[in-house]
Amino acid sequence: MLRLYRFLKPYRISVIFILGLIFLQTLSDLYLPTLMSNIINKGIMNHDINYIWKTGGLMLLIALGGVICSIIASFLSSRAAVGLGRIIRNKVFKRVESYSLHEFDKIGTSTLITRTTNDIVQVQNVSVMIARMMLSAPMMIIGGLILAMSKDKPLTLVLAVAIPVLVVFIVLVAKKIIPLFKSIQSKIDRINLVLRENLTGMRVVRAFNRIDKEKERFEDANADLTNTYIKVNRIMAFMMPAVMLVMNFTSLAILWFGGLRISHGDMDIGALTAFIQYAIMIMFSIVMVTIMFIMVPRAQAAAVRINEVLDTKSDINDSNDIKKADSERGYVEFKDVSFSYHGAEQPAISNISFSAKPGEITAIIGGTGSGKSTLINLIPRFYDVGGGNVLVDGVDVREMSQEALREKIGFVPQKAVLFSGTITENIKYGKQDASDEEVNHAAEIAQATEFISGMKDGYDTEIAQGGTNVSGGQKQRLSIARALVRKPEIYIFDDSFSALDFKTDAKLRAALKQEIADATVIIVAQRVGTVMDADRIIVLDDGQIAGMGTHKELLNTCEVYREIVSSQLSEEEIA
Ligand code: ADP
Ligand code: MG
């Protein structure tokens, strides 16, 4: 957790102020009982009204000063802690944004969300407590002991018995509570997981009549968390009265033995009142410190999880020596490229070589799992190649800046993703400053105008979270429009036509052909009809190129292609 405090830098002046204020407040707390005892000894005992007024006034002033310090310190420390939370959240978000797909595969989305929200709040809350306790508790304990001793030495023997009793008691309690607290975090994770799976998989849950089972699963996780909280609270509820009992017995003992010493004339009343107050202060501080030690491990567990996110560096970074390709436009070349997913035994693709030029359509066809998506994910550098080179405009993608590289590309992913916002906003995602005409034009080519104008607010229709109020095919057309509005050098369509009916598919491709005549187009498809008229068809089989050429060439040379074709087209269509 200490490592997270490096982010307190913008608040370092606040922190110094807070510590100073708490120092002053603690001093005033420590000084008040001594003044009190002075009033009793010198004022009340000697009937010196003047002294009582003077010292009483001083006490009021000091108490007031202490209160003001405490208020300002509270204010500043809350602000610093919340600010710290904000900074960490930003850092985590930024770091996660920089991850390549590989890191997402590794850490998992669910826990990234818990870490950005719940875990950071834990650290934030404990920080307020630490700010308040770190300085004042030790000062109270040590200062209180010294001052108590200065009032009366023999009476400190009572504390020598009471404090160890108290400490043993709270250590026992802490031992029971800390593991419970630590387990709470993972139990919250579990609830999040079950909830997320249920929300995203709602249709499956319903379709397979698993609602009762899922309810049970959630209830189990929920009850588990609840029971843990109840256990914690039970122990806490028991702890407070028990601590009060120890404190009250201590006061009683001090009064008893103090009374004896006063009647023997070894001590005065003022010293006794001050002594009791110091004793309570010390014990109270000890309790607060223990509570802090109980809370810190939980926040510590959260901090470890946050640091894990911050320490995970993306594999994919801009190289130091960024190369630019100015002269060439839209050239894509694969040179003997191989790639394996992390932990996979077999490479997902191997020995891929081909090149694509502007004005050409390159189609990639192959069975599911043959590596089509993997191959095209290498072009925008979502993953780095294992061997060989991917060149865009003659420069290795690892030597370009990621921004410049992706600027050149209009990417339509296999699974269309829309963001919450209007249709126009979603299309403009491809080009922030696109005009309405550009947006319209892109939608037209993507064959989306028909259903957009059929919607309630046309282009201003809000897309629901996750795009649930549009169909799969509509989503896909919107994400195609989003890529089109960019007017990039290279278009990549990953199976983007599969959710379209044949007619729309054909119309869309006809419109596209004119629109993107001078761009480089790479289309991944399942249907032979979609790829037939491409300039170059790459047939992928098990991550390797089984054949490459035009439809006609492949029919003669490539067995795999022939099989795909004959499974989809009738005899006449092939001929
Ligand atoms: P296609 O798009 O042709 O259907 P993919 O390129 O998605 O195929 O997948 C190729 C192979 O790589 C498959 O065997 C798949 O299991 C594996 N694969 C895909 N994505 C990942 C991933 N994120 N982590 C590990 N393996 C993956
Ligand atoms: Mg795919």
Side-chain angles (χ1 to χ4, degrees):
M1 190 151 67
L2 281 179
R3 284 187 45 215
L4 288 177
Y5 286 150
R6 68 184 182 276
F7 297 129
L8 267 178
K9 226 171 169 192
Y11 290 96
R12 58 184 182 277
I13 296 177
S14 276
V15 170
I16 293 170
F17 257 108
I18 294 166
L19 293 182
L21 288 166
I22 289 177
F23 182 76
L24 288 178
Q25 186 223 334
T26 314
L27 277 189
S28 83
D29 282 354
L30 282 172
Y31 192 42
L32 284 175
T34 301
L35 283 177
M36 183 77 202
S37 89
N38 283 349
I39 287 189
I40 294 173
N41 285 344
K42 295 182 189 152
I44 297 178
M45 291 300 173
N46 302 336
H47 300 287
D48 185 346
I49 303 291
N50 212 8
Y51 184 83
I52 294 177
W53 273 115
K54 243 174 52 192
T55 317
L58 184 63
M59 275 181 77
L60 268 180
L61 274 182
I62 290 178
L64 196 68
V67 167
I68 291 173
C69 285
S70 156
I71 290 173
I72 301 177
S74 288
F75 176 78
L76 287 179
S77 56
S78 309
R79 226 181 47 164
V82 175
L84 176 71
R86 202 193 71 186
I87 293 173
I88 300 177
R89 253 190 303 276
N90 267 338
K91 297 265 175 197
V92 169
F93 184 74
K94 246 198 185 148
R95 170 63 51 164
V96 171
E97 287 278 282
S98 81
Y99 282 179
S100 74
L101 298 185
H102 176 194
E103 281 78 39
F104 280 107
D105 292 350
K106 219 166 51 186
I107 299 184
T109 323
S110 244
T111 165
L112 278 177
I113 292 176
T114 332
R115 291 176 199 212
T116 323
T117 51
N118 192 306
D119 284 356
I120 293 180
V121 171
Q122 294 303 329
V123 171
Q124 187 179 307
N125 287 347
V126 165
S127 302
V128 179
M129 226 169 125
I130 289 179
R132 298 214 48 97
M133 292 297 149
M134 188 177 64
L135 188 65
S136 80
M139 265 178 80
M140 284 276 201
I141 295 172
I142 295 167
L145 270 176
I146 293 172
L147 286 167
M149 249 197 262
S150 77
K151 295 296 166 214
D152 194 79
K153 277 211 186 74
L155 214 48
T156 34
L157 282 178
V158 176
L159 290 182
V161 177
I163 290 178
V165 169
L166 186 69
V167 168
V168 167
F169 173 72
I170 27 193
V171 165
L172 286 181
V173 171
K175 264 202 169 148
K176 264 197 145 16
I177 281 192
I178 288 176
L180 289 178
F181 257 146
K182 272 192 174 167
S183 72
I184 281 179
Q185 224 57 12
S186 63
K187 287 182 179 162
I188 294 178
D189 253 1
R190 170 91 195 142
I191 286 201
N192 277 352
L193 177 90
V194 176
L195 191 62
R196 250 183 78 94
E197 279 186 354
N198 261 284
L199 292 180
T200 43
M202 185 138 56
R203 287 179 182 81
V204 180
V205 174
R206 300 254 156 100
F208 287 88
N209 279 327
R210 297 286 292 188
I211 295 179
D212 288 338
K213 265 271 171 288
E214 287 297 317
K215 244 190 214 156
E216 241 171 66
R217 210 157 73 102
F218 185 79
E219 266 164 19
D220 283 348
N222 199 4
D224 193 21
L225 180 70
T226 312
N227 288 336
T228 316
Y229 267 123
I230 289 176
K231 261 191 219 155
V232 166
N233 282 324
R234 215 180 268 150
I235 297 172
M236 284 289 208
F238 162 73
M239 181 172 122
M240 269 304 148
V243 164
M244 290 312 284
L245 198 71
V246 175
M247 291 220 249
N248 287 332
F249 265 113
T250 313
S251 305
L252 204 65
I254 293 172
L255 279 175
W256 176 273
F257 292 110
L260 283 178
R261 285 180 59 72
I262 289 172
S263 65
H264 290 144
D266 297 333
M267 191 181 179
D268 49 50
I269 297 181
L272 183 62
T273 42
F275 195 94
I276 289 184
Q277 289 190 29
Y278 285 130
I280 289 180
M281 251 184 219
I282 294 166
M283 297 211 272
F284 193 70
S285 295
I286 292 175
V287 173
M288 290 318 269
V289 168
T290 341
I291 291 183
M292 195 174 94
F293 275 112
I294 291 173
M295 306 293 282
V296 165
R298 184 180 176 190
Q300 180 65 37
V304 169
R305 288 155 49 106
I306 298 167
N307 276 322
E308 218 171 71
V309 177
L310 290 176
D311 290 344
T312 305
K313 294 243 158 56
S314 172
D315 296 348
I316 295 185
N317 296 301
D318 285 349
S319 79
N320 297 326
D321 172 26
I322 288 176
K323 284 191 190 148
K324 267 197 190 144
D326 284 329
S327 53
E328 302 193 66
R329 285 270 169 268
Y331 290 84
V332 176
E333 188 175 2
F334 275 56
K335 275 191 188 161
D336 199 25
V337 170
S338 303
F339 173 81
S340 310
Y341 284 104
H342 191 74
E345 286 170 18
Q346 298 270 330
I349 54 170
S350 45
N351 308 109
I352 306 288
S353 301
F354 72 93
S355 61
K357 286 202 298 286
E360 282 183 355
I361 296 179
T362 302
I364 302 172
I365 193 166
T368 41
S370 57
K372 306 183 296 291
S373 296
T374 307
L375 190 156
I376 54 161
N377 278 338
L378 297 177
I379 303 173
R381 205 181 166 206
F382 290 154
Y383 295 97
D384 268 342
V385 294
N389 311 78
V390 176
L391 306 178
V392 169
D393 293 345
V395 180
D396 193 306
V397 290
R398 285 168 294 185
E399 290 170 350
M400 274 188 213
S401 83
Q402 290 172 64
E403 206 182 334
L405 170 65
R406 289 169 192 165
E407 190 96 317
K408 296 174 186 287
I409 297 173
F411 192 85
V412 185
Q414 181 163 15
K415 190 166 174 286
V417 175
L418 298 180
F419 293 89
S420 41
T422 64
I423 287 183
T424 307
E425 279 164 6
N426 265 289
I427 296 178
K428 276 192 181 172
Y429 204 87
K431 186 182 172 201
Q432 300 243 299
D433 53 353
S435 66
D436 284 350
E437 282 91 73
E438 285 178 293
V439 170
N440 279 345
H441 184 64
E444 221 163 90
I445 293 168
Q447 308 298 312
T449 38
E450 204 171 307
F451 80 82
I452 293 176
S453 55
M455 292 180 104
K456 195 162 57 47
D457 298 318
Y459 281 90
D460 294 325
T461 308
E462 287 283 334
I463 298 288
Q465 190 188 4
T468 41
N469 59 346
V470 279
S471 79
Q474 291 170 340
K475 245 197 263 189
Q476 237 169 15
R477 275 175 278 172
L478 287 180
S479 80
I480 291 171
R482 179 173 60 199
L484 286 173
V485 81
R486 250 187 124 119
K487 297 211 180 302
E489 299 167 21
I490 303 161
Y491 288 90
I492 299 175
F493 299 98
D494 187 359
D495 228 346
S496 312
F497 307 105
S498 57
L500 307 180
D501 54 82
F502 284 95
K503 207 174 103 208
T504 317
D505 180 4
K507 264 162 73 183
L508 199 155
R509 273 183 301 114
L512 262 181
K513 207 160 193 172
Q514 297 173 3
E515 176 71 12
I516 58 184
D518 50 356
T520 310
V521 181
I522 297 177
I523 297 180
V524 168
Q526 304 271 358
R527 291 187 201 143
V528 175
T530 314
V531 301
M532 235 158 67
D533 43 5
D535 298 291
R536 180 183 308 100
I537 302 171
I538 298 172
V539 185
L540 268 190
D541 188 32
D542 247 347
Q544 297 194 329
I545 294 186
M548 180 155 59
T550 61
H551 177 67
K552 281 230 171 65
E553 290 164 9
L554 284 171
L555 276 181
N556 294 327
T557 56
C558 182
E559 181 59 30
V560 181
Y561 188 71
R562 247 194 322 259
E563 273 169 27
I564 298 174
V565 171
S566 61
S567 69
Q568 292 185 14
L569 302 182
S570 61
E571 292 294 330
E572 317 84 276
E573 280 174 308
I574 298 174

